[in-house]
Amino acid sequence: MAEEVRFHSVFDIIGPVMVGPSSSHTAGAARIGKVVRSIFGEEPETVTIHLYESFAKTYRGHGTDVALVAGLLGMSPADPQLPDSLKIAYDRGIKVAFVPESTQVDHPNTAKIVLTKGDRTLTVTGVSIGGGNIQISEINGLKISLQMGTPTFITVHRDVPGMIAKATDIMAAAHVNIGTMTVTRTAKGEKAIMILEVDERHPELKAQLQAIPDVESVTYFD
Amino acid sequence: MFHTVAELVTQAAAYPNVAELMVAQEMANTGRTREQIRDLMGRNLDVMVAAVHQGIQGVTSVTGLTGGDAKRLDAYLAAGDTLCDPTVLEAVRNAVAVNEVNAKMGLICATPTAGSAGVLAGTLVAVRERLGLTREQQVDYLFTAGAFGLVIANHAGIAGAEGGCQAEVGSASAMAAAALVAAKGGTPDQSAQAVAITIANMLGLICDPVAGLVEIPCIKRNALGASQALVSADMALAGVRSVIPPDEVIDTMGRVGRQLPAMFRETAEGGLAQSPTGRKLMAQVFGEPTE
């Protein structure tokens, strides 16, 4: 049977080091939150989290709610403050709502997160596939498959001409091959998001992307 | 690159052991050096050992439903009058310790998941002195387990929500059995046999967490998964073989997982979670009855 290779690294299996109690429902949830926060690029004013299937049924027992919010605050799964995230969000004035959904989705551990700040809205769907590993399956209604196991750059930038060319020029100059690329925006001329999944690990290129005029924030994962 | 247990066993012949094959594959995939990769694993080892020691001191879960059993087992072991060989019971005690720390939202290393984190750490800490394992050999233990775990994860899955508890404690127990065989001087093929023997006995194990918590029955399933890893390893070292090849056993686990009804896949809608006491505990923890 030909299955897709979802787990690539030995550290997907032995790891992560994390605050308990569940790798899929706590650590995976925190990672989803953290990636979503990185894509958004700033602290949100409101957070609405839609939970599906196993996430919807067991989120409180597993601390999924606490972990998602911890990630949205920028915490990693091993952060000792993770258990206190709801209080921290409340103290910072972030409005948080959880919506358990009864509709069926492709994977049992799915969360759709809607962040807003002012007029800006970002909707991202994340999936926790086991052992703390995650995928991002949708951004602003656009179906994507972001594996998180591969080196990835995410930029938040102003939607002006030439941004994609500038980013790909940097990759080309460093002999970095782009595997997949996703670009999405909230509205014409507003903020846009570019996701570059590349074949080689080059965290130092983050600074070069950051230096492009009209780029607000750059995140790098591998 | 290995994708199956058969490939893993064949390719390991070109290396000193399975652990070195895993390190080489990780180097090729990530571009990291051997030292960086082994250091990262060493950090995981430190967290695992610390969780065992913390749990044995006696901890209580966030909900108060579980805790203190590792300490009880430690006292029972110290009294020196046990039915099982102390190595088996030490692995049991250690596994309980790690999962009790997990349930209090303490720091653990997922192996392969948090809910099944006790098995690998528990068995390793139980045998490392008796087998005289150096720190490097303990790190090897984790790479060996991870190599077999990667194949299991890609062919059958490791999420309870996808495949039930067989995917979590079953996988963890199989990974530990493989690592135990290697630590005792067995061959890669004997490790593979230990994987098959272990998973074959775990097939169909449901995920039915009371109140959706990673406590009941998860903590004790880790304990018994650790004991089974030791027994499977001894069987494989004795030359016992699985009639069904390891890769077919793993694929079977994946197939059984997909056939499990959702109520047995981490939804707290079946099994012990829906026993009268399970329902009562859920109401007690969250202040409302289950649907």
Side-chain angles (χ1 to χ4, degrees):
Chain A
M1 167 181 347
E3 279 114 333
E4 73 174 305
V5 176
R6 295 189 298 168
F7 301 87
H8 299 272
S9 165
V10 69
F11 297 106
D12 294 344
I13 307 300
I14 310 297
V17 167
M18 54 167 282
V19 170
S22 166
S23 45
S24 55
H25 289 60
T26 318
R31 280 180 166 174
I32 289 171
K34 196 172 178 189
V35 169
V36 173
R37 166 63 185 268
S38 298
I39 297 171
F40 196 61
E42 60 187 328
E43 188 159 289
E45 288 167 356
T46 75
V47 174
T48 309
I49 301 175
H50 302 264
L51 301 155
Y52 298 87
E53 303 202 29
S54 179
F55 265 15
K57 311 274 190 215
T58 66
Y59 72 97
R60 282 184 300 181
H62 283 127
T64 307
D65 46 356
V66 173
L68 282 164
V69 171
L72 289 168
L73 292 170
M75 292 185 208
S76 74
D79 196 307
Q81 282 195 300
L82 183 146
D84 306 318
S85 69
L86 294 179
K87 187 180 179 306
I88 294 169
Y90 179 82
D91 290 346
R92 292 200 199 163
I94 304 171
K95 292 198 176 109
V96 180
F98 296 96
V99 187
E101 303 282 359
S102 56
T103 42
Q104 288 209 330
V105 290
D106 292 339
H107 190 282
N109 297 332
T110 298
K112 184 170 86 181
I113 300 174
V114 185
L115 304 183
T116 69
K117 181 170 185 179
D119 295 340
R120 248 189 108 201
T121 300
L122 174 73
T123 305
V124 181
T125 302
V127 180
S128 181
I129 60 170
N133 303 288
I134 64 161
Q135 293 174 349
I136 299 296
S137 63
E138 199 173 318
I139 296 182
N140 284 344
L142 196 66
K143 294 269 183 204
I144 60 163
S145 180
L146 197 55
Q147 298 282 347
M148 308 321 296
T150 46
T152 304
F153 295 94
I154 301 176
T155 71
V156 178
H157 57 272
R158 222 154 64 78
D159 182 32
V160 292
M163 297 305 289
I164 295 170
K166 284 172 190 158
T168 55
D169 280 352
I170 290 172
M171 297 297 141
H175 300 287
V176 171
N177 187 44
I178 299 170
T180 64
M181 182 164 177
T182 306
V183 183
T184 178
R185 64 184 182 191
T186 38
K188 194 177 170 185
E190 299 286 320
K191 283 188 190 177
I193 293 161
M194 180 163 34
I195 300 168
L196 296 157
E197 286 183 277
V198 298
D199 292 342
E200 293 86 18
R201 293 176 64 244
H202 279 282
E204 74 280 2
L205 296 180
K206 179 183 165 184
Q208 293 188 40
L209 290 170
Q210 186 76 63
I212 300 172
D214 293 314
V215 166
E216 285 195 4
S217 66
V218 183
T219 310
Y220 174 78
F221 306 94
D222 63 21
Chain B
M1 286 289 285
F2 58 84
H3 300 283
T4 64
V5 169
E7 288 173 1
L8 191 166
V9 170
T10 306
Q11 291 174 26
Y15 294 86
N17 51 41
V18 171
E20 287 298 340
L21 166 64
M22 187 68 251
V23 172
Q25 178 160 315
E26 192 72 18
M27 287 167 67
N29 280 350
T30 62
R32 291 194 173 102
T33 67
R34 186 172 186 281
E35 287 64 38
Q36 286 172 326
I37 291 166
R38 293 193 68 96
D39 281 355
L40 273 175
M41 195 58 94
R43 273 186 256 167
N44 288 349
L45 172 67
D46 293 338
V47 170
M48 292 160 78
V49 172
V52 169
H53 290 151
Q54 190 189 353
I56 291 173
Q57 301 304 311
V59 294
T60 304
S61 70
V62 174
T63 60
L65 292 182
T66 56
D69 283 344
K71 195 175 177 181
R72 274 177 205 102
L73 283 159
D74 193 52
Y76 178 69
L77 266 162
D81 183 21
T82 65
L83 279 171
C84 290
D85 178 288
T87 307
V88 177
L89 271 186
E90 281 173 26
V92 164
R93 173 201 63 192
N94 299 345
V96 170
V98 171
N99 284 83
E100 287 184 342
V101 168
N102 185 53
K104 78 164 197 74
M105 292 187 95
L107 201 65
I108 56 95
C109 180
T111 56
T113 66
S116 59
V119 178
L120 203 61
T123 51
L124 173 55
V125 173
V127 301
R128 61 179 184 163
E129 276 175 33
R130 208 182 121 189
L131 298 180
L133 302 182
T134 63
R135 180 173 173 86
E136 287 309 301
Q137 287 170 322
Q138 293 174 48
V139 169
D140 279 349
Y141 189 95
L142 303 182
F143 279 113
T144 306
F148 285 96
L150 258 184
V151 175
I152 297 168
N154 281 319
H155 287 269
I158 50 172
E162 278 177 25
C165 191
Q166 57 167 6
E168 299 213 20
V169 172
S171 299
S173 192
M175 289 158 51
L180 283 163
V181 167
K184 188 79 170 67
T187 65
D189 178 61
Q190 286 175 326
S191 285
Q193 297 303 319
V195 166
I197 291 167
T198 305
I199 292 181
N201 187 50
M202 290 280 193
L203 286 178
L205 189 63
I206 63 174
C207 179
D208 53 348
V210 168
L213 302 160
V214 193
E215 297 191 44
I216 306 162
C218 320
I219 296 170
K220 293 190 184 76
R221 284 200 186 138
N222 272 265
L224 293 161
S227 72
Q228 196 197 318
L230 284 158
V231 176
S232 301
D234 263 335
M235 288 172 73
L237 287 163
V240 174
R241 301 183 64 78
S242 172
V243 174
I244 312 295
D247 285 308
E248 289 186 38
V249 174
I250 290 168
D251 284 343
T252 301
M253 182 167 93
R255 191 173 72 244
V256 169
R258 289 188 291 276
Q259 290 166 337
L260 277 181
M263 72 169 76
F264 298 139
R265 289 187 280 111
E266 209 173 345
T267 53
E269 292 178 334
L272 294 170
Q274 289 299 318
S275 64
T277 301
R279 292 172 67 94
K280 194 184 81 190
L281 290 175
M282 180 154 184
Q284 179 187 315
V285 172
F286 296 121
E288 62 185 59
T290 59
E291 293 161 34

